[in-house]
Amino acid sequence: MHPNSIDDGLQETASTATLAPPEPRLEVQGLLKRYYDGQQHLRRGICLLNAGEYAQAAEEFTAASRANPHSRSLPRLLAACHIGGGRFDLAAANMQEAISVEPKDVTARVRHALTLWKDHRGSEAINHLRAAIAEHPESAELHFQLGTLLAALDELAEAEMRFTQAIAIDKNHSDALVSLALCCAVDRRVGEAQRYLERAQRRRPHDARIGLLLTQAARSLADQGTPVSLHAEIPTAPSNGYGEAIEHLSRIVAAEPDFIDAFLTLPSADVDADTYAMLAETLNRALDFCPQDAALHSARGRVLVRLGRADEAILATERALDLDPRSVQALVQLAELYQQTNRHDDARDRLERALALGAEFADVYYLLGNLYRHGGQIERARWAYGQALRINDHYEAARTALDSLAA
């Protein structure tokens, strides 16, 4: 760990300890893809760290940090999606699930101090925090924030004391543990730094930055010939707080059913089953608010497909069509489900209805051609494949199917 890294690390911690300002416009699909990429790198990094493969572990943690720089949870990323879309009212509900807010007066004081700091009024910021601590001596957050600003000014002795005090008040204050570890590292007490980082990693196994710092500490000790024994935690799918998150999300989805498409446009391999289960529960709640919303039933059907629950997906999509018989998306979706469950006649009927409603898409014609062919209607299959190629003359699957009919 290079001593000069402490300023950047601690200032980053200070800036993210309070409510983050609105982020720039975010492309939802890319943001979610990066989240899942980060999760994969993070898990590999922890496994490599526990195996003593420090160089490879550091690469994985670095990749995880690039994909998800602040190791934000899924609810916080969902909030960011809405911020990016300009829907600050909807984002606020999710943001409450992702950040821990101190009592109002303490939070206001911290915000004020950081505002002074960013305005290059460092002495005023520090004095403001000292005054706040005098009034709230048992606030771990105030001690931590004061330590952060002192460390940024290289006043490391008092900074270390403040971080120690924060941990004495709140032993689970992960940011204070990391900052105290960095102070130890600067003072070349790498063994102490590793112990604090291990404690922080157990509390925040999802945080790639902590994983990287712990890897660096372990590698430094190993290079000195000191035996290293680590048992880093593998992050599990979060559950605490997700009940409320789902409640908030369900209201968002009820207002904007298309929001769920951000997930469904990702490849199945990039989204884990726990997330699809969360989405299914979110849609169930949303339907409690809007039981007659065809788009919600259709979206629930698509999520159930991703979970491998075809029979339930069929029921959900059929309900969508009951509510909106002219829904082309639901007709095509139901046709695909019927085909997968060997209900070929029903699938063909739904696609013909979709075409009658104007679903002039190459995929629809191709799927219909397959159904005609399965039923022995070769001429109609030839016509359907031809229509698919009329719309998209580069549709190789349709061309191959048509050529095979000629043969």
Side-chain angles (χ1 to χ4, degrees), residues 168-211:
I169 297 169
D170 179 4
K171 65 181 181 180
N172 293 317
H173 200 303
S174 301
D175 290 323
L177 286 166
V178 172
S179 298
L180 184 54
L182 290 172
C183 287
C184 293
V186 170
D187 202 30
R188 302 189 183 280
R189 289 144 46 206
V190 182
E192 288 184 58
Q194 181 203 319
R195 289 192 290 274
Y196 289 126
L197 288 168
E198 277 193 89
R199 289 172 58 185
Q201 197 275 337
R202 283 196 295 271
R203 287 157 178 76
R204 287 222 309 255
H206 63 278
D207 194 319
R209 175 173 173 262
I210 295 175

Side-chain angles (χ1 to χ4, degrees), residues 7 45 55 72 77 82 101 105 116 125 131 142 146 161 167 179 204 212 215 245 266 291 308 316 324 335 337 362 397:
D7 288 350
R72 292 174 294 186
L77 284 173
H82 280 294
V101 180
D105 56 338
L116 292 171
L142 288 173
L146 178 56
M161 183 269 288
I167 296 167
S179 298
R204 287 222 309 255
L212 178 59
T215 300
L266 291 171
D324 182 7
L337 286 165

Side-chain angles (χ1 to χ4, degrees), residues 313-324:
I314 288 173
L315 291 175
T317 312
E318 286 175 339
R319 179 58 180 154
L321 274 175
D322 288 342
L323 293 166
D324 182 7

Side-chain angles (χ1 to χ4, degrees), residues 154-339:
D154 286 330
E155 297 181 24
L156 297 183
E158 185 182 353
E160 183 173 341
M161 183 269 288
R162 294 295 178 180
F163 296 139
T164 301
Q165 183 64 24
I167 296 167
I169 297 169
D170 179 4
K171 65 181 181 180
N172 293 317
H173 200 303
S174 301
D175 290 323
L177 286 166
V178 172
S179 298
L180 184 54
L182 290 172
C183 287
C184 293
V186 170
D187 202 30
R188 302 189 183 280
R189 289 144 46 206
V190 182
E192 288 184 58
Q194 181 203 319
R195 289 192 290 274
Y196 289 126
L197 288 168
E198 277 193 89
R199 289 172 58 185
Q201 197 275 337
R202 283 196 295 271
R203 287 157 178 76
R204 287 222 309 255
H206 63 278
D207 194 319
R209 175 173 173 262
I210 295 175
L212 178 59
L213 291 172
L214 179 56
T215 300
Q216 291 172 333
R219 182 166 54 185
S220 177
L221 289 171
D223 290 345
Q224 297 170 19
T226 303
V228 178
S229 177
L230 284 176
H231 299 286
E233 291 285 327
I234 301 288
T236 57
S239 56
N240 293 337
Y242 262 63
E244 291 184 30
I246 288 173
E247 191 70 29
H248 291 311
L249 281 172
S250 64
R251 295 179 184 276
I252 292 170
V253 171
E256 298 182 39
D258 289 344
F259 181 71
I260 216 75
D261 288 337
F263 292 91
L264 296 174
T265 52
L266 291 171
S268 296
D270 293 335
V271 184
D272 58 28
D274 288 331
T275 298
Y276 285 128
M278 183 191 78
L279 292 176
E281 180 60 24
T282 297
L283 286 163
N284 288 340
R285 300 281 187 89
L287 285 166
D288 288 340
F289 304 126
C290 306
Q292 304 302 311
D293 192 312
L296 288 177
H297 285 283
S298 180
R300 181 170 175 267
R302 283 179 287 153
V303 171
L304 290 168
V305 168
R306 292 289 183 98
L307 285 168
R309 293 153 59 180
D311 290 342
E312 293 176 71
I314 288 173
L315 291 175
T317 312
E318 286 175 339
R319 179 58 180 154
L321 274 175
D322 288 342
L323 293 166
D324 182 7
R326 299 182 63 81
S327 172
V328 168
Q329 182 185 53
L331 282 166
V332 175
Q333 180 176 314
L334 192 55
E336 291 174 342
L337 286 165
Y338 283 158
Q339 183 192 39

